[in-house]
Amino acid sequence: MDGATEPIDRSANTDMNATQGAPCPWHAADRLCIMWRVLDSLKAPNEELVMASLTLFDKIWESHIVRVEPDGTTLLYIDRQLVHEVTSPQAFEGLKLAGRRARRAAATLAVPDHNVPTTDRKLAIADPISAKQIQTLEDNCRDFGITLYGMNDIRQGIVHVIGPEQGFTLPGTTIVCGDSHTSTHGAFGALAFGIGTSEVEHVLATQCLIQKRPKTMEIRVDGTLSDRCSAKDIVLAIIGKIGTAGGTGYVIEYTGSAIRALSMEGRMTLCNMSIEGGARAGMVAPDEKTIAYIKGRPLAPKGDLFEQAVKAWHELKTDPQARHDVTVTLRAEDIAPQVSWGTNPGMVLGVDQNVPDPRTISDENTKHATERALEYMGLIPNMPITDIRIDKVFIGSCTNSRIEDLRLAASLAKGKKVSKAVHAMVVPGSGLIKQQAEAEGLDRVFLDAGFEWREAGCSMCLAMNADVLQPGERCASTSNRNFEGRQGAGGRTHLVSPAMAVAAAIEGHFVDIRTWT
Amino acid sequence: MQAFTQLTGLVAPLDRVNVDTDQIIPKQFLKTIKRTGLREGLFFDWRKNKDGSPDPDFFLNQARYQGATILLTRDNFGSGSSREHAPWALLDQGFRCVIAPSFADIFYNNCFQNGILPVVLKADEVLSLMKDVIGTEGYRLTVDLGDQRVTTPDGTTYRFDVDPFRKDCLYRGLDSIGLTLQHEAAITAYERRRKQDAPWLFTDIR
């Protein structure tokens, strides 16, 4: 049965959300879907015929529809899948048990990252269970013909760093990975989202996923950021505003002059943390920066194919008349350097503020959650954020471990010394970033200032390897989650930007990076 | 996948909001290459006191909740990581149904892949149930996927929504990969069209 011609239950489909862009009942190529939009708008009473107006999300979604069930459930084509060692073994096992192959091994890229040591790679992995998981990934990639950047490959790194770095991540594509921070790739104008292991298996076997169409949320940030404030501060401020479930059921499109002004690295930081606001995906429409970043990368299209692709990528933007389901706005000028004080990323404040006081909170749920978070974090109500002293600093993770992050961190660390009370480490996002940083002498700057300089991996973002906080230890971290125990049982995490992390490492407590010298 | 039609079972209360998947199962249990045996990792850090002894106040350590098959909890359950180890651990402990006012998207989806029914009830309904569960030893609920109803011991019923497609798959315990593979021709046709429109996506990355 061909999805383009197969009859489906029109009665169930034609009434559904008629003016909100119901999926095309022919679930065929883009052209037909746009026609469906026009026909749909004709049906709505008192509405003039206007050209179909689509959001960036609509354009990507509709160009990936394989078929639609009567209730709107969609079989969505997946262009690319990234695979890592932690969420894939059971998926490969499932394929083997069912005697299934990988439908498009050539559209799949694998790398170990979560569980790899960031110390000398020539030594065997001390933890035999970690070693077995990494070996299992190698075995599976060999058996299914999937490209793997192994632990000693210079291209190895965090899965969400190497996808863009290699030119695997491209605008207009659907990208999935068994990791919630897959939202990172949305920085390129891709629809990228995290999935569970069963869905990893589903995509390996079919190159498709069964999905419900999400709603869209526009988050518009206009204006100019304060000196030394960054994408990390924007996204933490957004999560502080919408909450950790504010984006549930939505795909976010980030717009506005402050977003346009961000580098590709900044946009990746921003989209990376969409999931911390509950949204599975976040995206930024591609522009010349996007195209310049991609050009010449090893897996990016070349020559005529590249020119053809660029032409298509220029169409990837939300049409002027298109409407999102919700719009949230922020002013960049209002965003102070952010520091999380609690046990989820929504518990965040500007560095110039005080830790909340549960006694002043009327909502019972928020009050209890605040009390519990303060107790876990060992903080006193009303204390200034700048009085919080720290034990560790972690600069790294899929949020903030790219070359731009390291350059900025090194520029602030240059000629300074890490506080005697602090243990600080820098973990580059990939082997190639490490190499680049070393070529620029950034490693010397960090080492001279008293930071450790490590091999690439997820490291202390989730502490699956040996990089772990001890109970009660307090860390200024450029990562993305401050959940209880995230960086080690009993560990206390404060999420900050790389600039804020460096200043905290040197002073031993948080400082306002805008005025710090 | 095990089908879910109707379940009558003991209810265990987890009266907390924003329970993230790092709490449901911490990272040290993600090194496994199997789906089973994850029970010991379920709420690992919350089950213990600081000295490592079991916390008698935590519901999983209480005799009255042993054998529970329904977990009643609060808003935004399952936020954070995509780890499917979270539903695997719940299943290994014996939970087949989680009731909450809201769920994080990826966790919600992962439940359906593993024969667990996530039920969304209104916040006030969950609060009322929470009170009854904590106040009544041996409190049981009946969850009927066919009727989309939760029924209390006194006969009160609460209706819940579920997408028809997901409902059908769970009700019949269907293998979703098998379902998709039935549309092999449509997938191939899509790929043919897509290759014409966007040939740069079909270069071999190997």
Side-chain angles (χ1 to χ4, degrees), chain A residues 63 71 77 90 100 103 106 127 133 147 197-199 202 212 249 365 372 462 464 484-486, chain B residues 16 22-23 27 30-31 34 46 74 84 105 109 163 165 175 180 184 190-191 201 204-206:
Chain A
S63 64
D71 74 343
Y77 194 77
Q90 298 85 352
R100 288 170 178 151
R103 182 179 176 90
D127 178 355
Q133 198 173 51
T147 302
T197 298
S198 295
E199 291 187 321
H202 200 121
K212 181 112 193 283
N365 283 341
R372 193 180 155 82
L462 86 165
M464 261 191 89
E484 289 180 25
R486 172 76 178 182
Chain B
R16 290 184 193 178
D22 273 82
Q23 310 316 317
K27 61 216 158 244
L30 310 190
K31 297 181 182 186
K34 299 284 169 203
W46 286 353
R74 304 282 297 279
E84 203 163 313
D105 282 339
N109 204 30
D163 295 334
F165 185 81
D175 162 25
T180 297
E184 165 68 34
Y190 173 88
E191 284 175 334
L201 295 177
D204 193 333
I205 69 136
R206 290 174 292 187

Side-chain angles (χ1 to χ4, degrees), chain B residues 9-29:
Chain B
L10 185 67
V11 187
L14 179 57
D15 192 9
R16 290 184 193 178
V17 294
N18 294 323
V19 174
D20 59 78
T21 53
D22 273 82
Q23 310 316 317
I24 299 174
I25 185 154
K27 61 216 158 244
Q28 62 268 34
F29 297 97

